Amino acid sequence: MIDGKKTMLSGMQSTGMITLGNYLGALKNWVTLSDDEDINCFYGIMDLHSITVRQDPANLRKSARNLLMLYIAAGLDPVKNCIFYQSHVPAHPELAWILNCYTYMGEMNRMTQFKDKAAKHSDNINTGLFTYPVLMAADILLYQADLVPVGKDQMQHLEITRDIANRFNGIYGDVFTIPEGYVGKSGAKIMSLQDPTKKMSKSDENPNASISLLDDKDTIMRKFKKAVTDSEGVIAYRDDKPGIKNLLDIYCCCTGKTVDEALAEFNGLGYGQLKECVGEAVVNELAPIQQRFKELSEDKAYVDGIIKTNAEKASYYANKTLRKVKKKVGFTELPR
Ligand code: TRP
């Protein structure tokens, strides 16, 4: 709670350009949530998390700024909401260090995302990757977040955050708010266009598998044309038709229509026509975001100002919690 209002915090790693999946599954829901006047919202550009996998420095810098501009372009008001770079608030790694000392190896060993990522980057299984969830716990607990909108794949990290917070509170009294996970209303999980049994991912090697938020119209239409479907030829919303189901999900997310409305609309049409309609819906959804993104890219001073003000705002709240934690643990305050 901050100033009597509920607090929400979420974020994405700044690694590469985000996809239609990140947008429909997370960002679009954040925009809806941030319209609620009774919630204080924090959205992080989680660049500290990004370096758990090796990054090219110039790309990392560019990805982080693009992500910030996309948050704003997608509709998050950077004055009402606090949109900040994780690396601009040193309280994050500081609290993460402290929480590391209240987290067990066994707990981290159980994390399925660590196992997946370790398998994928077997040449660089660093300790940052191992303690990644502890940094995420620090992100959340610093702001005393009540609500954390996350995808299903992050639920385990949220559970461990609650465990760490409860453990700490058990020793030192009520220091941290225990956060609740929040899986968005639509809960849309957008799948790969090339293998609809896999989540759409920006790190997919096949460029046709995902739609980048900045793809132009022709690219979007081409990728949907190539989308993998099935051989049945009937438009139906069924688990055994993951390709068609995914296209319908994308269509409904972009147009706000229900699945039944979409099915009625596509009744009797072929897959080619469906793909074209979905492609157009996506183009229409992304066009205003891309336009706003372009304007922001051309206004360096405005974006810089946002970054600076929000880093200060985030630091203010984060430091409040950090000071409390340091005192509880027994660190000595710097004499005035
Ligand atoms: N780990 C999250 C992801 O990859 C990103 C993230 C970092 C995050 N810190 C967070 C999400 C805090 C919610 C809250 O999606």
Side-chain angles (χ1 to χ4, degrees):
M1 289 281 232
I2 290 179
D3 308 332
K5 283 189 186 181
K6 283 217 169 194
T7 297
M8 190 173 81
L9 177 134
S10 200
M12 289 184 198
Q13 289 192 56
S14 49
T15 320
M17 179 48 66
I18 61 170
T19 69
L20 183 67
N22 302 121
Y23 171 67
L24 295 178
L27 192 46
K28 195 171 154 81
N29 286 321
W30 297 355
V31 175
T32 314
L33 285 164
S34 74
D35 287 339
D36 188 332
E37 295 290 340
D38 294 326
I39 312 182
N40 249 321
C41 301
F42 292 84
Y43 298 104
I45 314 288
M46 304 305 187
D47 50 357
L48 297 176
H49 277 108
S50 297
I51 63 163
T52 53
V53 172
R54 202 68 75 226
Q55 302 293 333
D56 171 73
N59 278 344
L60 177 59
R61 199 168 292 124
K62 187 162 164 234
S63 301
R65 195 171 175 102
N66 281 348
L67 185 58
L68 177 113
M69 292 192 291
L70 283 170
Y71 282 2
I72 302 171
L76 292 178
D77 179 337
V79 176
K80 256 175 59 191
N81 304 287
C82 185
I83 301 177
F84 66 99
Y85 282 55
Q86 189 186 28
S87 65
H88 288 167
V89 186
H92 288 245
E94 231 181 311
L95 180 63
W97 168 256
I98 296 174
L99 296 181
N100 265 318
C101 304
Y102 296 82
T103 306
Y104 298 112
M105 295 288 287
E107 289 177 310
M108 292 294 99
N109 264 324
R110 288 203 319 267
M111 296 292 115
T112 55
Q113 191 172 66
F114 169 70
K115 291 183 210 173
D116 292 348
K117 287 198 179 174
K120 223 165 127 191
H121 304 278
S122 55
D123 56 333
N124 180 19
I125 307 179
N126 60 71
T127 51
L129 192 62
F130 187 65
T131 60
Y132 176 115
V134 181
L135 177 59
M136 184 161 156
D139 299 338
I140 296 167
L141 300 176
L142 273 176
Y143 299 91
Q144 306 289 352
D146 302 276
L147 291 177
V148 183
V150 284
K152 281 205 184 86
D153 61 327
Q154 296 296 316
M155 266 307 182
Q156 200 184 24
H157 294 162
L158 194 70
E159 276 308 314
I160 203 78
T161 300
R162 293 163 56 92
D163 291 346
I164 297 170
N166 275 316
R167 181 172 304 141
F168 199 91
N169 285 354
I171 305 173
Y172 301 106
D174 278 346
V175 178
F176 297 125
T177 304
I178 309 299
E180 300 279 344
Y182 179 92
V183 180
K185 260 202 309 270
S186 75
K189 185 172 174 196
I190 304 303
M191 312 304 277
S192 155
L193 298 183
Q194 289 297 310
D195 176 359
T197 61
K198 269 185 10 200
K199 191 175 150 184
M200 182 181 284
S201 160
K202 55 188 160 192
S203 54
D204 204 305
E205 277 145 36
N206 184 343
N208 290 324
S210 70
I211 304 281
S212 146
L213 238 53
L214 296 184
D215 276 349
D216 62 19
K217 181 169 187 216
D218 291 348
T219 309
I220 294 174
M221 296 308 284
R222 178 169 41 78
K223 286 181 181 176
F224 276 105
K225 210 173 216 164
K226 289 190 178 149
V228 169
T229 51
D230 55 60
S231 55
E232 194 187 28
V234 177
I235 298 176
Y237 191 80
R238 295 203 317 256
D239 285 339
D240 65 337
K241 295 168 70 69
I244 297 297
K245 185 165 179 266
N246 190 38
L247 290 176
L248 288 166
D249 276 333
I250 294 174
Y251 184 76
C252 291
C253 279
C254 288
T255 57
K257 291 180 183 161
T258 65
V259 172
D260 285 340
E261 283 166 352
L263 286 173
E265 201 177 316
F266 295 124
N267 186 24
L269 298 188
Y271 288 175
Q273 287 155 305
L274 170 68
K275 288 176 176 183
E276 202 162 308
C277 289
V278 179
E280 270 163 19
V282 171
V283 169
N284 288 337
E285 175 78 10
L286 297 187
I289 300 176
Q290 295 181 349
Q291 175 59 31
R292 181 86 185 102
F293 178 86
K294 188 166 165 280
E295 289 161 14
L296 289 165
S297 320
E298 288 158 4
D299 198 346
K300 183 169 183 306
Y302 171 76
V303 175
D304 284 349
I306 294 291
I307 294 176
K308 191 154 177 284
T309 322
N310 279 324
E312 285 162 6
K313 188 169 162 192
S315 298
Y316 169 80
Y317 292 110
N319 287 335
K320 238 165 127 167
T321 301
L322 183 65
R323 275 198 299 276
K324 202 163 160 190
V325 168
K326 285 173 139 179
K327 204 165 160 190
K328 293 281 185 188
V329 168
F331 293 149
T332 303
E333 251 184 280
L334 191 63
R336 285 175 191 255

